Structure formats: structure tokens, C-alpha cells
């Protein structure tokens, strides 16, 4: 990935000031209610590239909490046991029907396990929808990644949000290796902040909400070092409180991201 680098900032609401950071936005269907749906039109007019998330992550998280199971288990639970799926599907179709041809892309409803995902996607494709498939290699198997990478030009890669650093590195590196010679042209890493690991095993795009870190931590920054990968630059700073702050920029996407980690006491494995 030497010529493409896009960081979709995951938001829960659409605000004009978001453009101070980026024009690449990911927002979930479950967040699209009332005025937020109407705001999409103006966002498009101002040049935003919007990736519509299915809202399945939130739905699975809710099911996991209520039933005291892991998030991965919730993702493979039969649909008839998932409260709220039909409502989510209705809302997904409503947003896609109105804005689908203006969205940068829209992600499939990837819940119910591998076979159920295929059934749901096939039914949607027969209705004329073109959702981006999501691969959870730890749940679906790498053979499913191979199959989808041969069939589709865009894919989303899951199992990354809650993964520890070593597992995340394995998933990204394996995907990078397996995509060679396949039809897939664009892979989006779900829930991944641009970081040293992502720079080592890059996908064409990723998303997270960690661009909010400067607002959370603030303070004066002291520059330490920087490094580059293709069009992506990572500037490393420290804060007065002894934390390390990474400011990650893409010259192509015009993005600005940051995340903060502590020098002492380990790191946040979700963002390294």
C-alpha cells in the first residue's frame, strides 16, 4: 500500500467541525436517526466520503452484555436469538435506499455466523444492494477470506477491535500475505487506528474514534521522532504528564489522527 492511505474517523454524530480533521467519515446505521439522516445530504455536498457501518458491532455488544457471552460468540449467534436485528435491517435499508449511490460504501450486516452472513448478503444482492463483505478470520476461517478476496473487490477485516497487539499483528500480516494475486483491491481494517503495526502490515484504509485523544488529554507536546510509510507519516510526541502521543497523517487522504499511550505501565493494546 504505497499510494493509498485513508483513515475513516468513526463518529456518532455529524458535525461541520469534523472537516477540520478529515473528510473521511465512518458512521454506524444505529446512529443514523432523525436529523442525522437529513444531515447526510449536506455532508456529501461538502465533499465528505462516508462509509456506512452496519451497526452490527453495537448490536452484538448489546447481546453479549445481556447474555454474558463474548463479543465473538454474539457475532455467531443465530439471528432468531438476536433482539433488534430486524429493526437494524430496516434502518440499514432505509439509509442505503436513500443515499447508497452517494456513500463511499456500506458494510454488510455481518452477524449470525459465516453461513448466515452469506445468506443475508445473497438475499440483499438479489434485491440490488451491494454491501461490502466483512471477514472475521478467527470466526469464519481463513479459507473464507480467500474465497471472498477472489470474489469481491472490497472487503472489511474484523476480529481487530478487541484483539491484543500480537493477535492483531497476526491478522493483518496474514491478510496481507493471502490477498496477493486475488481480485480484492481495497481492504478496510475495522476498528484500527493508524499505528506502527498497521504501518508494517497496511490495508488501504482503517477506522477508529481515537482522533478524540487530544481533546481528552490536551497539554503541551514535545516532539521526539517521526517515521514514514508510503504516504503516511507518524510524528511522535510526549505530553507533560509523561504520555506518548502519535499524530498520524496521510498526505493523500488529508487526515489527522492521534492516539496516546503511557510510557509506564504498558500500552493500550487496542491501538498499538
Amino acid at each position: 500500500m504505497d499510494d493509498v492511505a485513508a483513515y475513516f474517523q468513526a463518529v456518532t454524530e455529524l458535525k461541520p467541525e469534523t472537516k477540520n480533521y478529515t473528510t473521511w467519515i465512518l458512521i454506524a446505521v444505529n446512529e443514523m436517526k432523525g436529523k442525522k439522516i437529513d444531515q447526510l445530504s449536506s455532508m456529501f455536498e461538502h465533499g465528505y466520503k462516508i462509509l456506512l457501518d452496519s451497526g452490527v458491532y453495537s448490536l452484538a455488544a448489546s447481546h453479549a452484555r445481556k447474555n454474558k457471552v463474548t463479543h465473538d460468540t454474539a457475532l455467531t449467534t443465530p439471528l432468531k436469538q438476536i433482539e433488534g436485528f430486524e429493526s437494524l435491517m430496516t434502518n440499514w435499508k432505509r439509509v442505503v435506499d436513500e443515499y447508497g449511490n452517494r456513500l463511499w460504501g456500506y458494510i454488510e450486516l455481518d452477524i449470525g455466523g459465516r453461513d448466515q452472513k452469506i445468506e443475508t448478503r445473497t438475499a440483499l444482492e438479489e434485491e440490488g444492494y451491494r454491501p461490502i463483505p466483512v471477514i472475521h478470520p478467527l470466526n469464519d476461517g481463513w479459507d473464507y477470506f480467500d474465497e471472498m478476496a477472489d470474489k469481491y473487490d472490497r472487503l472489511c477485516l474484523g476480529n481487530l477491535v478487541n484483539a491484543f497487539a500480537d493477535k492483531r499483528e497476526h491478522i493483518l500480516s496474514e491478510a496481507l500475505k493471502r490477498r496477493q494475486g486475488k481480485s480484492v483491491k481495497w481492504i478496510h481494517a475495522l476498528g484500527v487506528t493508524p499505528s506502527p503495526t498497521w504501518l508494517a502490515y497496511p490495508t488501504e484504509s482503517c477506522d477508529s474514534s481515537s482522533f478524540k485523544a487530544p481533546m481528552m488529554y490536551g497539554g503541551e507536546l514535545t516532539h521526539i521522532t517521526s517515521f514514514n510509510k508510503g504516504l503516511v507519516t507518524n510524528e511522535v510526541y510526549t505530553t507533560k504528564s509523561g504520555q506518548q502521543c502519535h499524530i498520524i497523517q496521510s498526505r493523500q487522504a488529508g487526515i489527522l489522527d492521534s492516539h496516546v499511550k503511557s510510557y509506564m505501565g504498558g500500552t493500550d493494546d487496542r491501538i498499538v
Side-chain angles (χ1 to χ4, degrees):
M1 191 199 69
D2 291 328
D3 57 351
V4 179
Y7 171 62
F8 287 86
Q9 291 185 3
V11 300
T12 56
E13 54 186 319
L14 303 171
K15 294 182 176 180
E17 57 264 33
T18 302
K19 202 167 184 178
N20 294 333
Y21 296 99
T22 184
T23 56
W24 299 70
I25 295 294
L26 177 142
I27 190 165
V29 166
N30 55 292
E31 303 289 351
M32 299 304 298
K33 300 173 184 177
K35 292 182 179 180
K36 292 182 183 180
I37 296 179
D38 298 331
Q39 287 175 331
L40 275 177
S41 289
S42 62
M43 298 290 280
F44 293 127
E45 290 170 5
H46 286 86
Y48 284 88
K49 300 175 183 67
I50 298 177
L51 175 58
L52 185 71
D53 184 70
S54 65
V56 158
Y57 183 88
S58 179
L59 184 66
S62 175
H63 179 85
R65 286 192 300 271
K66 291 178 181 177
N67 295 277
K68 295 180 171 58
V69 298
T70 67
H71 191 267
D72 283 348
T73 297
L75 285 172
T76 58
T77 300
L79 288 187
K80 62 182 180 180
Q81 299 177 28
I82 302 292
E83 181 182 351
F85 176 78
E86 291 302 326
S87 175
L88 184 66
M89 170 74 86
T90 298
N91 199 27
W92 185 94
K93 286 186 175 181
R94 181 164 62 101
V95 176
V96 174
D97 284 345
E98 187 164 356
Y99 297 106
N101 63 341
R102 302 179 71 184
L103 292 167
W104 183 89
Y106 46 94
I107 299 172
E108 72 171 344
L109 294 112
D110 55 308
I111 195 167
R114 173 173 167 167
D115 291 343
Q116 181 60 63
K117 286 196 297 186
I118 295 172
E119 182 179 329
T120 301
R121 187 190 326 117
T122 299
L124 288 170
E125 288 175 341
E126 289 175 351
E127 292 181 43
Y129 297 102
R130 292 295 178 264
I132 302 173
V134 179
I135 317 299
H136 292 91
L138 303 186
N139 301 4
D140 304 327
W142 283 106
D143 61 317
Y144 184 62
F145 175 92
D146 295 339
E147 178 185 345
M148 294 295 99
D150 263 335
K151 186 176 180 181
Y152 293 89
D153 62 351
R154 292 193 294 179
L155 296 176
C156 289
L157 188 63
N159 284 139
L160 294 164
V161 175
N162 300 314
F164 288 108
D166 58 343
K167 183 62 68 175
R168 176 172 289 191
E169 180 176 347
H170 168 72
I171 293 172
L172 289 171
S173 63
E174 187 69 13
L176 185 63
K177 178 179 70 175
R178 286 176 173 267
R179 70 177 297 179
Q180 303 304 315
K182 303 289 187 181
S183 300
V184 64
K185 304 300 182 186
W186 190 289
I187 294 180
H188 178 83
L190 290 164
V192 174
T193 298
S195 65
T197 298
W198 181 77
L199 292 171
Y201 307 104
T203 56
E204 280 72 22
S205 62
C206 56
D207 74 84
S208 74
S209 59
S210 66
F211 69 97
K212 299 173 183 176
M215 293 178 281
M216 296 168 60
Y217 294 96
E220 182 180 338
L221 299 178
T222 302
H223 186 266
I224 303 175
T225 188
S226 63
F227 56 90
N228 302 289
K229 175 70 176 181
L231 294 179
V232 181
T233 301
N234 187 353
E235 301 284 349
V236 185
Y237 300 80
T238 57
T239 68
K240 283 185 175 180
S241 60
Q243 292 173 313
Q244 191 177 105
C245 180
H246 292 246
I247 308 295
I248 297 129
Q249 302 180 66
S250 164
R251 293 184 293 283
Q252 173 154 326
I255 56 109
L256 172 63
D257 173 53
S258 67
H259 65 262
V260 177
K261 63 180 182 179
S262 176
Y263 275 136
M264 308 300 291
T267 61
D268 182 344
D269 287 315
R270 294 171 302 169
I271 58 175
V272 297

